[in-house]
Amino acid sequence: MKEPIINVEHLVKSFGNHEVLKDLHFSISKGEVVCVIGSSGSGKSTLLRCINGLESLTSGTIHFQGESVGRGEKELNKFRANVGMVFQSFNLFNNMTVLQNCMVGTRKVLKLNPKESKERAIKHLKQVGMAPYINAKPAQLSGGQKQRVAIARALTMQPQVLLFDEPTSALDPEMVGEVLQVMKKLASEGLTMVIVTHEMSFAKDVSTRTIFMDEGYIVEDDIPENLFENPKNPRMREFLSRYI
Ligand code: ADP
Ligand code: MG
């Protein structure tokens, strides 16, 4: 077994006295594509936010490439640069062009010079098919295009792992396909990804592992063939039946 990039042990997260994540164990190794499925409120977003340091842990540990991630701001910033995140609502800067959106992180955080930053932005915009739109503002783009720009922006940081929180849930149905296609391409290029999604056929097709969460627990963590074809857990069976 390879050394995991991220290893989470005994993760507990509470908001007040509401325990949202209950003693979770989770790891991801290089090249894995892990889809996380489960009902609304089961803790999927909170898990991603804990993994990339947007939420503090109530208890438990996270190791990144074998090293324990502390809670200091400097350490967390370094960690976050290695763990990218793509959100449901894109979170682009609306007053900036597509190119500017894809340069901010590498300029401000990685301190690349303008030339390197621009070259890197263009490289990743090409990767998602958005290079023709470098001078457009987000308001001029469709939802699918905005999400592809957000993915390119995340890639410019060259993260070790990219986390996606329902990247297609805010899109009109006709735009879901173009974003899933880009994510499929990234998977085939070997990017390590954790994807919270309600797109069951995508999870089945693209994931190397799928995790089913229910009420703060990881109930199943298996290859998609087992999980979708032969779900053992009754809650998982009931959840899947809603998608048929
Ligand atoms: P999912 O992404 O699976 O829909 P979430 O992780 O968003 O689930 O939420 C899990 C539970 O944690 C829900 O009951 C939600 O209300 C609660 N929760 C999430 N974020 C917060 C917060 N910042 N403060 C209080 N409760 C929260
Ligand atoms: Mg969520």
Side-chain angles (χ1 to χ4, degrees), residues 93 96 99-109 117:
F93 297 110
M96 293 184 192
L99 182 64
Q100 286 165 340
N101 266 285
C102 293
M103 288 177 62
V104 188
T106 55
R107 290 285 289 137
K108 295 229 158 113
V109 181
S117 168

Side-chain angles (χ1 to χ4, degrees), residues 48-64:
L48 288 197
R49 293 170 60 80
C50 286
I51 292 177
N52 91 334
L54 283 174
E55 295 283 357
S56 62
L57 315 185
T58 302
S59 61
T61 57
I62 298 185
H63 283 80
F64 180 77

Side-chain angles (χ1 to χ4, degrees), residues 6 16 26 44 76 95 97 105 122 127 145 188 193 206 214 234:
I6 291 179
F26 171 87
K44 306 179 300 296
L76 273 177
N95 58 334
T97 65
I122 289 172
Q127 200 177 2
Q145 290 173 327
S188 72
M193 305 195 271
V206 179
D214 187 50

